[in-house]
Amino acid sequence: MTTETAAPAAPSRRTTFHPLTVSAVRRLTDDAVEVTFAVPEELAGQYDYLPGQYVALRTTLDGQELRRSYSICAEPRPGEVKVAIKRDLGGKFSTWANESLKVGDVLDVMSPTGAFISKHKMTELNHPEQIDVAGQDVFVAVAAGSGITPVISIARTVLAASDTVRFDLVYANKAAMDVMFLEEIADLKDKYPTRFAVHHVLSREQRISPLLSGRINSEKLTTLIDSVLPTADVDEWFLCGPFELVQLCRDSLAERGVPAEKVRFELFTTGQPARPEGQIGRPVEVDPSADNFEITFNLDGLQGKVASPTHARESILNAALRVRPDVPFACAGGVCGTCRAKVVTGTVEMEENYALEPDEIEKGYVLTCQTRPTSPAVTVDYDA
Ligand SMILES: Cc1cc2nc3c(=O)[nH]c(=O)nc-3n(C[C@H](O)[C@H](O)[C@H](O)COP(=O)(O)OP(=O)(O)OC[C@H]3O[C@@H](n4cnc5c(N)ncnc54)[C@H](O)[C@@H]3O)c2cc1C
Ligand code: FES
């Protein structure tokens, strides 16, 4: 993803957790719930967001702190944050949320963040009516499963913002019963019959069109891109789903010469199993007399310092959490971007990056959950 000149007014505040109360839980499918959090007036400014952004939720289950990211599924609306959580088979947080989360529960909710937003049209947080849509604008989204959550928020917002916007959605699921926001998608079709089109692809059900049955593979995608979607006219593509599907779409669009800056993508997981060290930091013992990297970091205007044994090969995030438990992170897997900081001095190496855009990397930003020092002293700035 790269940023175009007229970038949106993305929030510059630092992401912080606040306890918010669940005000509604709505079942979307057998395996998905929509959860609404009430945002008290005094915190309103902390929870402004652009369609496509996500929040991290934090809770403790069976004595283990869990943090998970969930995209906001509603168009910007002050006073509440709505997410949709799909049960991941064997998944700790999503299973708990689907089975036990109820109205009145209080969870720590991080202020919204994320770059899966329309880069050339959104102008104001929480003011979708101020979207800058001049002339005809064409958006296409390819979503799978819970990947619909940020997409439905973007679709509703841009369609409502101008009566010249066209939005095509390719939505892949296993079966009709798995389709999240079925009614909302049907409502969009009724409301915008000539401007919104949806192509439901079901991998385990036979639809009338063979194109819309079975898994989206390279051949199916080629037909969709070349003959069903308004590919030549698309201003922005939004891809959200499993790693393989997003990668397939990105490759196919690149092969057709679609410039990367028109393609936004969001991954919910890299498909890699969870890291053994879990999410709250791997325990590392520091021997001050041994060989250590010296890591300095700025966070909320305060400077922290921590030593990191060179043999431990730990991430900057892991080390920083030893001295400041409020260092921001969510996925610890290079996917969400919450742990972003700018390298100010020293050199580093970053392992995985599924969240930063090329221009951010050029400016020196790294994902600290994926980054290790390669020079004896390193300074990073979380406030930059
Ligand atoms: C930016 C972002 C936005 C997201 N938005 C949404 C959203 O809107 N809706 C949504 O539903 N999800 C979303 N997610 C995904 C969400 O954050 C969680 O990853 C998801 O809900 C699973 O969490 P969990 O605790 O239930 O599963 P985990 O307990 O984290 O397990 C995940 C999967 O890994 C398997 N697993 C766990 N440990 C191991 C192991 N050691 N070896 C092998 N397999 C293992 C589990 O069986 C499960 O299938 C988003 C993620 C990101 C990064
Ligand atoms: S914490 Fe998610 S990318 Fe680092």
Side-chain angles (χ1 to χ4, degrees), residues 146-199:
S146 56
I148 191 66
T149 48
V151 166
I152 189 98
S153 167
I154 295 167
R156 280 166 157 172
T157 309
V158 296
L159 282 162
S162 153
D163 50 17
T164 57
V165 162
R166 168 163 183 193
F167 201 106
D168 272 50
L169 168 65
V170 177
Y171 186 19
N173 278 284
K174 284 186 187 131
M177 61 182 284
D178 299 315
V179 176
M180 293 165 70
F181 299 110
L182 189 61
E183 270 176 36
E184 287 77 357
I185 292 170
D187 285 351
L188 283 179
K189 269 179 72 176
D190 289 346
K191 202 168 171 188
Y192 309 109
T194 56
R195 300 198 285 121
F196 177 72
V198 57
H199 315 278

Side-chain angles (χ1 to χ4, degrees), residues 31-33 52-55 61 66-73 83-96 98 113-114 145-150 180 240 266-269 272-276 279 330-331 334-338:
D31 280 324
V33 281
Q53 292 197 304
Y54 67 88
V55 290
L61 296 180
L66 298 181
R67 296 176 180 217
R68 299 289 185 269
S69 306
Y70 292 99
S71 303
I72 301 171
C73 58
V83 297
I85 305 176
K86 182 170 179 176
R87 188 199 316 257
D88 201 344
L89 198 66
K92 288 195 188 93
F93 188 97
S94 62
T95 302
W96 170 78
N98 269 271
T113 186
S146 56
I148 191 66
T149 48
M180 293 165 70
C240 190
E266 179 107 293
L267 296 173
F268 285 179
T269 157
Q272 305 294 322
R275 292 182 161 243
Q279 283 200 308
C331 73
V335 179
C336 72
T338 313

Side-chain angles (χ1 to χ4, degrees), residues 54 317 328-340 355 367-370:
Y54 67 88
L317 172 71
F329 75 94
C331 73
V335 179
C336 72
T338 313
C339 64
R340 186 186 97 134
L367 300 172
T368 54
C369 72
Q370 298 296 314

Side-chain angles (χ1 to χ4, degrees), residues 277-293:
E277 60 262 37
Q279 283 200 308
I280 50 166
R282 169 163 76 97
V284 168
E285 292 288 330
V286 181
D287 174 358
S289 62
D291 242 2
N292 291 310
F293 293 116

Side-chain angles (χ1 to χ4, degrees), residues 3 340-344 357-366:
T3 314
R340 186 186 97 134
K342 190 172 184 174
V343 178
V344 182
E357 304 187 20
D359 69 318
E360 292 175 289
I361 293 172
E362 253 167 54
K363 287 178 193 153
Y365 287 97
V366 293

